[in-house]
Amino acid sequence: MKAFIYLPALLLLGPLAFSQALLKPIINQKAKAMESKTISWRRDFHEHPELGNNEIRTAGIIAAHLRSLGIEVQEKVAKTGVVGILKGAKPGPVVALRADMDGLPVTERGDLPFKSTVTTEYNGQKTGIMHACGHDSHMAILMSVAEILASEKANLAGTVKFIFQPAEEGVYGARGEKIVSGAELMVQEGVLENPKVDAIFGLHIMAEAATGTIQYRPGATMAAVDELDIQVKGKQAHGAYPWQGIDPIVISSQIILGLQTIVSRNVNLPEDPAIVTVGAIHSGIRYNIIPESASMIGTIRTFGTEQRKLVHQRITDIATNIAKSGGAVADVHIGTGYPATINDVNLVDKMLPSLIELNGRDKVFLKPAHTGAEDFSFFQEKIPGFFFFLGGRPLDKLNVPVASHHTPDFQIDESGFQLGVKALSHLVVDYFEQAMPVAKKSKK
């Protein structure tokens, strides 16, 4: 019967006088009541993961759920994405909420009863598929938010656009081919239009952050990510006669060391961090042959537009000039990936009190800049966005290291999902509340 204790207060208010803030106690009750449902969805998605742009089963479940709530549904957006549009009974702004859908080519370890056993072939290798970054929880949380807000449609003063996005982890092509992400393609296909979105919110669960906490950062929050690909061409020779050749392995080693001076000598680290990492180097076939060529690939992380340009230029300068000094030629290619995830400062200032009121000042933390990357940034390039982090540290690992994201042992605690449902829902109704003319708000 508790679900009805707020009903008289709602009925006493006229249709134009209803304060959106009065929905928050109702949201909290409903989030608690459907916690087991949220967890059940997450476990089903976890057991049946799908890679980027192949989230067919996943998308079908989401679309069917949204339709069952009376929400307008668009399918096959950016290949496999799903968009739901919930129009409140009262006019107001348009707020978007986003969850990513794809799993990763990771073979899961552990003994969870809902462990993934799905396999595929990826880059020519057989591998498992796993939700090793928490996207399963993001979808379950947003499905719950959709159910709660749809049940309060008659009291909503605005429109909510639920964006279930494919391929957040990116889809990689051949050398020189641009990285395509689900968010980028969704923006290109007009997901932020018809109706035009005023602001967008998203969250990411974090295995290392304490369950029951929220972390945030105004401004540059997550790094831009780019691909590094360097091909060094030397001259093949017998290993016993190195003076007859041009050794691409030695030159590549010098290039790798030289690249590290970008971060240590060219970047203003306190103000604008950067990372240049070589993740793989390949060359040669036999112990006594100096090969003709060597190749290396890696990742670049930056936070500012100018810094991004600087780092790219220094990589090219260092690689080509070191190669030239050794008589070789270096072909440098940098594939542009995701921009930096930059939280709109005004939107954060405006909406942070909503998270603090919900969870308490002692459980809402300012987070250092994160060198991971997120294609949520493509939405933020077009409209104000606020991306924050939800604690999901396993409760049995409070004082020991936890497996990081993108690893076979990654796990999260499900008791934090309820906070995520409340947080996204509260942000919506508080945003609507702040947009309402003063005369239309209930007087306290």
Side-chain angles (χ1 to χ4, degrees):
M1 296 299 292
K2 287 184 178 180
F4 297 97
I5 63 174
Y6 298 100
L7 187 58
L10 304 188
L11 294 176
L12 289 174
L13 296 168
L16 296 180
F18 178 64
S19 169
Q20 298 294 281
L22 291 175
L23 287 171
K24 290 191 281 189
I26 302 172
I27 287 168
N28 293 347
Q29 286 188 347
K30 291 184 175 181
K32 182 177 181 180
M34 67 182 303
E35 181 179 31
S36 61
K37 195 174 185 180
T38 307
I39 292 172
S40 178
W41 278 325
R42 181 260 167 164
R43 291 184 177 185
D44 179 71
F45 289 139
H46 190 90
E47 191 172 359
H48 303 94
E50 296 169 300
L51 294 178
N53 290 338
N54 288 283
E55 306 96 334
I56 297 170
R57 177 186 183 275
T58 304
I61 292 171
I62 292 168
H65 176 62
L66 296 181
R67 283 199 180 91
S68 74
L69 302 174
I71 292 175
E72 177 187 335
V73 175
Q74 300 168 357
E75 294 184 82
K76 298 182 180 179
V77 183
K79 300 186 185 299
T80 52
V82 179
V83 177
I85 300 174
L86 173 64
K87 296 179 180 178
K90 303 173 179 63
V94 180
V95 170
L97 303 176
R98 176 271 208 165
D100 34 16
M101 302 162 61
D102 52 328
L104 286 158
V106 174
T107 302
E108 184 169 9
R109 287 196 289 253
D111 56 358
L112 292 175
F114 50 93
K115 171 183 176 180
S116 169
T117 57
V118 180
T119 60
T120 189
E121 186 172 294
Y122 186 83
N123 283 344
Q125 300 182 50
K126 186 176 181 180
T127 180
I129 305 177
M130 177 187 176
H131 273 295
C133 201
H135 296 187
D136 49 353
S137 61
H138 303 166
M139 291 183 286
I141 287 170
L142 192 54
M143 287 172 70
S144 300
V145 173
E147 182 164 331
I148 291 170
L149 294 183
S151 71
E152 296 297 327
K153 177 180 178 178
N155 294 313
L156 289 179
T159 296
V160 187
K161 187 173 282 191
F162 301 96
I163 298 175
F164 290 87
Q165 178 215 306
E168 187 278 326
E169 300 292 353
V171 179
Y172 297 81
R175 185 174 190 256
E177 185 177 346
K178 191 178 186 297
I179 301 172
V180 178
S181 82
E184 183 179 17
L185 189 53
M186 279 190 143
V187 169
Q188 291 174 2
E189 293 186 4
V191 75
L192 300 179
E193 307 295 332
N194 302 316
K196 184 175 177 59
V197 178
D198 297 297
I200 186 167
F201 300 101
L203 61 74
H204 202 301
I205 199 159
M206 301 300 289
E208 71 271 18
T211 298
T213 63
I214 291 173
Q215 297 181 338
Y216 73 97
R217 184 173 187 81
T221 300
M222 299 183 75
V225 57
D226 300 307
E227 280 186 308
L228 168 65
D229 186 326
I230 301 175
Q231 305 288 328
V232 178
K233 186 175 181 181
K235 181 181 177 182
Q236 190 160 319
H238 193 297
Y241 314 113
W243 55 87
Q244 295 180 355
I246 298 173
D247 194 333
I249 296 177
V250 171
I251 291 170
S252 294
S253 301
Q254 294 171 335
I255 290 173
I256 292 170
L257 292 175
L259 294 179
Q260 301 315 303
T261 65
I262 298 172
V263 175
S264 67
R265 291 297 179 267
N266 300 132
V267 168
N268 186 337
L269 287 176
E271 294 184 8
D272 205 357
I275 290 173
V276 180
T277 295
V278 174
I281 178 169
H282 300 281
S283 185
I285 194 170
R286 185 175 165 83
Y287 72 94
N288 63 346
I289 298 176
I290 293 172
E292 183 177 58
S293 62
S295 65
M296 65 191 83
I297 55 175
T299 187
I300 307 163
R301 307 291 167 127
T302 53
F303 287 90
T305 302
E306 293 305 314
Q307 171 126 290
R308 196 179 195 185
K309 293 178 182 176
L310 168 68
V311 172
H312 288 193
Q313 187 60 53
R314 291 296 295 137
I315 289 171
T316 300
D317 291 345
I318 288 170
T320 55
N321 287 314
I322 287 178
K324 185 177 180 180
S325 71
V329 175
D331 176 24
V332 180
H333 174 78
I334 297 174
T336 303
Y338 305 166
T341 303
I342 301 177
N343 281 332
D344 184 273
V345 174
N346 292 331
L347 183 62
V348 173
D349 288 345
K350 180 179 177 180
M351 303 311 302
L352 183 59
S354 180
L355 298 179
I356 293 173
E357 179 193 28
L358 168 65
N359 209 40
R361 175 70 270 186
D362 61 331
K363 292 185 178 180
V364 178
F365 301 102
L366 180 65
K367 180 180 178 63
H370 193 298
T371 52
E374 243 288 347
D375 73 348
F376 189 83
S377 54
F378 286 106
F379 300 121
Q380 292 173 313
E381 284 190 322
K382 301 297 182 182
I383 60 172
F386 184 7
F387 191 76
F388 59 98
F389 303 91
L390 181 69
R393 190 182 190 92
L395 296 181
D396 61 346
K397 293 182 172 63
L398 296 182
N399 299 308
V400 297
V402 298
S404 67
H405 294 239
H406 291 216
T407 66
D409 300 306
F410 171 79
Q411 289 189 28
I412 49 177
D413 185 76
E414 297 172 327
S415 65
F417 295 175
Q418 187 181 152
L419 176 59
V421 174
K422 293 176 183 177
L424 289 177
S425 302
H426 280 221
L427 287 169
V428 169
V429 297
D430 279 338
Y431 191 92
F432 288 171
E433 174 75 12
Q434 293 184 39
M436 290 175 68
V438 175
K440 291 185 178 182
K441 296 181 184 180
S442 62
K443 296 181 179 180
K444 298 181 181 178

